[in-house]
Amino acid sequence: MFETLKYLTGAAGSSGYGSKSTAETVTATTDLRSITAVITGATSGIGAETARVLAKRGARLVLPARSLKAAEDTRGRILSECPEAEIIVMALDLSSLSSVRRFVAEFESLNLPLNLLINNAGKFAYEHAISEDGIEMTFATNYLGHFLLTKLLMKNMITTAKETGIQGRIVNVSSSIHGWFSGDLIRYLGEISRSKCQYDPTRAYALSKLANVLHTKELAQRLKQMEANVTVNCVHPGIVRTGLTREREGLVTDMAFFLTSKLLKTIPQAAATTCFVGTHPRVLNVTGKYFSDCNEASTSKLGSSSTEAARLWSASEIMVSRDSKAVFDPLSAMDYDVSSKK
């Protein structure tokens, strides 16, 4: 009850911010003119607001998007407010591993530093679909594409941090919905990556968001072992009506949002936690954590499992591998024990 009242009133937590804080508020004293940021999913909603605010604070932005027109529109809107902003639009389809590799190759050819990576893009696939790489589409887009993107950009981030002395930051946008998933995540991924399966879009979405949490946990440990000056944290932006619901507009959706309207955040409020974790001095040296309303929060029991985090990482390495000897077959994933293959 106390936490609900705290949320509804917007009471500040230990960070000094709360549920009613906005992205502009949490970055009000932040100078990002020395920062280069890559933000996925910045063509609308929370991602677009995150990009706008970071540009307003002086960051150079790279906006990868599946729709170049939508990205150019975002760029135009930001430039109308911040004419001096440097914004680069590039092509990227996160559901395609080959597209991720092309984007990284093109980005590296620009010889730019990279201080901040915000893995924000998200998809809620109401209809079952499988990516060109043989993985269920929601998981492929929300998690696996970001896993490979982060993996391929890591060398640049570590080098940038070493050369500039500015700590690199990675922000994975997850959701409290990650706690809705229970069971064997690898087994379930195998089941929904079949061409014919019983598909629950909400459970698939929860799986992808749990994967974001586990990715954060395992990557944080690996970065510590490497003694890299790069941190990684994940965030729950809050409940907000965005483009994720556009395919279900209608009476039922409208009624659900009306009934929960007191819990909804505005988009500027929803972008606050991402901007706080990505830029605020209070988060310096903080890594492997989960944030909600600009404060550290607890994940689900499964989301806090180091064993599951390592298991998912091993499976992910195989899924994105180009090594012909490394094969992750989702059709046989139900019998797959990655812990024995590490």
Side-chain angles (χ1 to χ4, degrees), residues 130-320:
I130 297 175
S131 74
E132 65 183 42
D133 301 292
I135 304 298
E136 187 274 324
M137 189 62 77
T138 298
F139 188 89
T141 304
N142 294 359
Y143 167 70
L144 193 62
H146 282 129
F147 174 86
L148 180 59
L149 179 68
T150 304
K151 175 184 172 71
L152 296 180
L153 291 175
M154 192 53 56
K155 181 179 178 181
N156 185 318
M157 293 198 75
I158 293 172
T159 300
T160 298
K162 184 177 294 186
E163 292 179 349
T164 64
I166 300 172
Q167 189 168 77
R169 299 192 190 187
I170 301 166
V171 182
N172 288 331
V173 178
S174 182
S175 168
S176 61
I177 292 174
H178 82 270
W180 295 12
F181 185 87
S182 61
D184 188 320
L185 69 163
I186 302 297
R187 179 186 294 266
Y188 185 63
L189 175 61
E191 291 175 354
I192 61 176
S193 292
R194 296 174 183 267
S195 58
K196 293 182 179 180
C197 70
Q198 286 194 328
Y199 185 67
D200 180 340
T202 301
R203 192 173 187 218
Y205 184 75
L207 170 64
S208 72
K209 291 304 176 180
L210 172 62
N212 294 146
V213 172
L214 293 172
H215 177 219
T216 301
K217 186 174 185 65
E218 180 68 13
L219 179 56
Q221 291 302 313
R222 289 172 180 260
L223 288 169
K224 285 181 181 178
Q225 291 169 5
M226 296 167 63
E227 299 184 345
N229 189 21
V230 178
T231 63
V232 54
N233 293 287
C234 60
V235 305
H236 165 53
I239 306 169
V240 60
R241 192 168 191 175
T242 68
L244 284 177
T245 65
R246 70 169 60 95
E247 294 177 41
R248 282 294 185 271
E249 295 297 315
L251 180 61
V252 174
T253 300
D254 290 341
M255 183 61 71
F257 275 98
F258 173 75
L259 293 173
T260 60
S261 61
K262 296 301 182 183
L263 299 176
L264 290 179
K265 285 187 175 185
T266 65
I267 287 177
Q269 290 168 348
T273 305
T274 298
C275 289
F276 174 76
V277 173
T279 69
H280 203 280
R282 282 181 176 269
V283 193
L284 188 68
N285 297 323
V286 176
T287 191
K289 302 299 183 180
Y290 177 79
F291 285 79
S292 178
D293 301 329
C294 300
N295 289 275
E296 284 189 38
S298 299
T299 66
S300 67
K301 183 178 180 180
L302 194 55
S304 66
S305 171
S306 298
T307 300
E308 287 303 301
R311 184 170 178 250
L312 175 64
W313 184 285
S314 295
S316 302
E317 287 279 19
I318 293 172
M319 283 186 273
V320 303

Side-chain angles (χ1 to χ4, degrees), residues 87-99:
I87 305 171
I88 302 167
V89 168
M90 300 178 69
L92 171 63
D93 179 354
L94 281 162
S95 72
S96 164
L97 298 179
S98 61
S99 178

